[in-house]
Amino acid sequence: MDENKGVWVFSENYDLTLEMLGKGRKIADTLKTELVAVLVGFNVQEKANDLIKYGADKVYLIDNPALERFQAEACLSVLHNLTANYKPDILLIGSTKNGKPLAARLATRLETGCIPDCARLSVDEKGRLIGERITYGGNAVAKVTFRSKPQIATIPARAFEKPEPQDRSGEVTKLDAQIEEPKTEVVETKPLQASSVNIEEAKVIVSCGRGLEKKEDKALLEDLAKILGGQVGNSRPLAEDRKWFTEWVGLSGHKVKPKLYVACGISGVIQHVAGIRDSKMIVAINNDAEAPIFEVADYGVVGDLYEVLPALTEALKKQLQ
Amino acid sequence: MKRIIVCLKQAVDVSQLKVDSKTSQLLTASAPKKISDFDKNALEEAIRIKEKLGEAEIYTVTVSSEDAKAVLREALAIGADKAYFVNDLSFQDLDTSATAYILTEAIKKIEEFDLILSGEASLDSFSGLVGSRLAELLNLPLITSVRKLTVEDNIVVAERTLEDAYETVKAKMPALITVTREINQPRIPSLMMIMKASKKEIVTWTATDLNIQKEKIGAKIEVIEVLAPKTERKKIMITGENKEEIAEKLAKALIQEGVVGR
């Protein structure tokens, strides 16, 4: 086990790679070891040099036309080759829809453990990685560590901050890797609407739940969101049950961390709360004084959202002038 | 005839989970259990494929150290043809690696199949790794987070949700598919279906029946603690004579907190 060395990061998502480099740098410093970024793609040499600036000591670059777009088996075989050869101690993989299955399959090939969706990472006195993750539908946070190496953890987007680039030097090594044949074929890709894509990056979110009577009434939230320079969101029932929207905020949907989250007519079931837990401030407006959302809110108003929202929009308009 | 295997987890019903307020420990032992939601979607999808094809066999596989007969009976009532229950006292605290290994051994013993379906993650632990691990162990094409599925001859076409796009993916069968809750609305079994299910077969296998190697089910990860998260919120209720007064107070508070405005 002792031969495993170094902290590695990999994601097919470039921003997430940078975020993991920020956290990975700290872990590598604590363990007095090197931080390695694995970069796969085609004609990506320039990005490799940038990864050094963001904290990597080394970049393993696999530049190959077969890797131009994400392909699961291609990526898996490259990572498997590298990790089996160089034996990292820790491997952080971006917890995207493609990254998570990749991590699971790699862990299976390497006969090691994998801790998914770690929102926090630390290292214990024995140098073992500890991951913290939400579990039991938002009812609990589990602290988990490893009994095997490499220690593979998947990291959600925006769990860690992107570091500032620095003027530092490192080593970019271009490697060849055997690339396996794909087992699946992507026949079509349709982009999602832009509005729903970036709710996870919104600084302010005004969100509605079952208290909203008609789909069109979302305009009330949009008015407030406009004043605050924010975005509008919704809870799961409006998407899954009423089919008004296709996306939602919550544990099974978008996990958000805005400066301000305004929950309007949202009861606050635990799965929703788990998706907004990292918000800096939560405001709840609900006509049911017993709604659990008030337990997790900084400011609460018991009242009808149809009355309170327009009044709040007006008040903010006046006071912000 | 096509054979579809659905992996079903008996999960803690997280909506009925209680927390010991003194210790922040979850009272999982006393919580009710049910078929993990996403796995129920996988079962429903298998039944819809069967209905479309006219004929197919649906087998469920469940791994647990506890009794799960009620959950298996429910799956049979919903529409599975046969349930395999891999049950052994040694299967306590399995991690995703161990679960995938046991499922692999069970599926190898079933031998023939065209499609394996499961939920993209379980309701309780929500790891979302077992399906992918299983595909790797069985060397199968894998399509995860599927919201729409079509079976054509020997090919599956699946639409999956990514962060910024929908993707349509094709694979040859046999293949393994993990589904999201969006894919369908699972049916509720009628009394007739429940009665019919009592005649269906539940095959029980132990670790010995599957020749499970002890060292392979030792957990590769270690859970240090599982505690209810602490919420440190201000919980200030804003009241006033009328909505205008309330709105003004709230607006002022938000500006002072520095979460709105410049």
Side-chain angles (χ1 to χ4, degrees):
Chain A
M1 293 244 292
D2 288 324
E3 59 179 331
N4 293 69
K5 274 197 186 77
V7 177
W8 287 30
V9 305
F10 171 80
S11 177
E12 79 286 1
N13 177 314
Y14 187 65
D15 286 330
L16 185 45
T17 303
L18 301 186
E19 289 163 18
M20 292 192 296
L21 280 177
K23 185 65 188 179
R25 184 70 262 162
K26 287 175 195 157
I27 296 171
D29 289 344
T30 306
L31 295 173
K32 299 188 173 63
T33 183
E34 60 180 12
L35 177 64
V36 177
V38 179
L39 181 65
V40 306
F42 187 47
N43 292 330
V44 288
Q45 175 78 42
E46 216 167 288
K47 275 188 180 166
N49 298 326
D50 286 344
L51 295 177
I52 303 280
K53 291 183 194 148
Y54 282 97
D57 298 310
K58 262 188 204 163
V59 177
Y60 290 137
L61 169 66
I62 300 90
D63 206 69
N64 189 307
L67 298 166
E68 186 164 16
R69 284 182 56 187
F70 178 86
Q71 205 292 317
E73 283 76 26
C75 236
L76 175 64
S77 50
V78 167
L79 279 179
H80 182 216
N81 281 339
L82 290 181
T83 47
N85 261 330
Y86 294 98
K87 300 190 184 352
D89 178 23
I90 291 172
L91 175 56
L92 308 180
I93 294 182
S95 201
T96 59
K97 293 279 183 184
N98 280 329
K100 207 163 139 175
L102 179 74
R105 293 173 72 183
L106 181 64
T108 305
R109 285 198 183 182
L110 296 170
E111 296 185 17
T112 190
C114 178
I115 304 177
D117 305 313
C118 298
R120 290 205 181 114
L121 290 174
S122 56
V123 172
D124 72 5
E125 69 282 358
K126 287 182 211 146
R128 289 192 308 179
L129 187 68
I130 298 174
E132 284 183 43
R133 59 186 304 270
I134 294 175
T135 181
Y136 289 104
N139 280 289
V141 174
K143 254 190 197 175
V144 193
T145 189
F146 292 86
R147 286 181 182 161
S148 58
K149 289 203 172 169
Q151 308 173 88
I152 300 180
T154 78
I155 311 297
R158 285 170 290 280
F160 301 107
E161 270 179 41
K162 186 173 131 180
E164 289 298 322
Q166 281 169 6
D167 192 19
R168 52 195 302 285
S169 59
E171 177 193 330
V172 176
T173 311
K174 230 174 157 174
L175 294 169
D176 279 326
Q178 278 204 311
I179 294 172
E180 287 176 15
E181 286 300 307
K183 285 198 179 83
T184 60
E185 182 196 344
V186 176
V187 285
E188 201 195 348
T189 309
K190 277 184 291 185
L192 283 172
Q193 295 158 351
S195 64
S196 56
V197 174
N198 48 25
I199 191 157
E200 292 182 10
E201 285 165 32
K203 294 272 181 266
V204 174
I205 298 170
V206 184
S207 200
C208 51
R210 283 181 206 269
L212 198 74
E213 285 161 17
K214 292 198 304 289
K215 186 182 171 183
E216 296 71 39
D217 296 343
K218 209 172 184 177
L220 286 177
L221 285 84
E222 277 156 8
D223 291 342
L224 178 60
K226 211 171 146 193
I227 296 274
L228 299 175
Q231 289 200 36
V232 172
N234 55 271
S235 67
R236 199 172 117 202
L238 299 198
E240 290 256 287
D241 302 343
R242 296 191 195 159
K243 311 274 179 212
W244 291 351
F245 312 108
T246 52
E247 315 261 315
W248 62 89
V249 173
L251 187 61
S252 62
H254 292 288
K255 291 192 239 1
V256 297
K257 47 194 297 187
K259 266 198 312 189
L260 173 64
Y261 188 84
V262 185
C264 312
I266 292 177
S267 64
V269 297
I270 204 127
Q271 290 86 348
H272 186 78
V273 171
I276 64 171
R277 176 161 290 130
D278 293 332
S279 305
K280 190 171 166 226
M281 178 147 294
I282 296 175
V283 171
I285 301 166
N286 202 302
N287 55 14
D288 175 9
E290 303 295 312
I293 191 76
F294 290 121
E295 289 300 309
V296 297
D298 295 287
Y299 292 94
V301 175
V302 179
D304 185 349
L305 73 94
Y306 285 87
E307 291 189 356
V308 178
L309 268 184
L312 180 60
T313 305
E314 276 311 306
L316 279 165
K317 242 187 223 170
K318 252 192 266 169
Q319 294 188 28
L320 284 174
Q321 251 171 22
Chain B
M1 186 164 49
K2 295 250 187 293
R3 182 179 290 165
I4 305 169
I5 295 177
V6 183
C7 303
L8 288 185
K9 181 178 179 183
Q10 167 167 268
V12 171
D13 184 348
V14 295
S15 65
Q16 299 194 52
L17 192 56
K18 301 237 174 1
V19 175
D20 183 325
S21 56
K22 275 192 194 128
T23 62
S24 291
Q25 297 276 353
L26 302 190
L27 305 172
T28 46
S30 60
K33 303 280 173 70
K34 64 172 190 173
I35 300 177
S36 180
D37 290 12
F38 301 78
D39 293 347
K40 215 177 204 175
N41 293 101
L43 176 58
E44 174 65 32
E45 198 58 26
I47 298 164
R48 291 187 189 191
I49 293 168
K50 179 178 177 175
E51 287 168 350
K52 215 169 218 174
L53 294 177
E55 58 168 13
E57 280 176 311
I58 302 171
Y59 292 179
T60 64
V61 185
T62 301
V63 174
S64 180
S65 65
E66 298 167 14
D67 180 29
K69 287 271 168 62
V71 152
L72 299 176
R73 281 279 163 230
E74 189 190 350
L76 293 169
I78 293 171
D81 297 302
K82 198 177 190 181
Y84 288 87
F85 184 31
V86 190
N87 180 232
D88 202 289
L89 278 176
S90 66
F91 293 168
Q92 276 174 31
D93 302 321
L94 297 175
D95 67 2
T96 59
S97 163
T99 306
Y101 161 65
I102 298 165
L103 280 171
T104 301
E105 294 307 309
I107 289 167
K108 279 185 186 160
K109 199 168 162 119
I110 295 172
E111 285 183 355
E112 304 276 308
F113 63 90
D114 299 282
L115 201 56
I116 300 177
L117 297 178
S118 82
E120 74 168 331
S122 63
L123 181 66
D124 47 8
S125 61
F126 213 78
S127 296
L129 303 175
V130 171
S132 303
R133 280 186 177 275
L134 185 57
E136 194 58 32
L137 289 171
L138 291 166
N139 196 21
L140 293 175
L142 166 72
I143 311 177
T144 54
S145 306
V146 169
R147 64 198 291 269
K148 203 172 156 196
L149 186 63
T150 322
V151 174
E152 302 166 352
D153 300 321
N154 285 317
I155 287 174
V156 276
V157 181
E159 194 176 298
R160 58 193 295 254
T161 319
L162 303 181
E163 285 74 16
D164 54 358
Y166 293 127
E167 190 178 74
T168 309
V169 187
K170 234 163 68 171
K172 269 200 194 129
M173 292 202 278
L176 193 149
I177 310 284
T178 76
V179 304
T180 66
R181 277 159 95 152
E182 290 166 88
I183 196 166
N184 56 42
Q185 185 71 46
R187 69 195 67 191
I188 295 161
S190 65
L191 193 60
M192 183 74 125
M193 288 153 81
I194 293 168
M195 280 163 60
K196 262 167 77 183
S198 63
K199 293 195 190 75
K200 291 180 180 172
E201 190 185 1
I202 295 179
V203 179
T204 303
W205 284 334
T206 63
T208 316
D209 293 332
L210 293 180
N211 201 15
I212 296 295
Q213 292 164 261
K214 258 222 166 83
E215 66 276 10
K216 283 197 170 178
I217 60 168
K220 294 186 161 64
I221 58 170
E222 180 184 325
V223 178
I224 302 168
E225 60 176 36
V226 179
L227 295 175
K230 288 190 185 70
T231 49
E232 281 153 12
R233 295 284 174 187
K234 295 188 172 139
K235 297 194 213 174
I236 299 170
M237 297 308 285
I238 303 224
T239 53
E241 291 291 314
N242 51 43
K243 63 184 181 192
E244 285 79 16
E245 191 189 329
I246 291 174
E248 267 167 37
K249 281 188 189 170
L250 180 55
K252 203 172 162 195
L254 296 182
I255 292 168
Q256 278 174 354
E257 294 277 6
V259 290
V260 301
R262 291 154 281 269

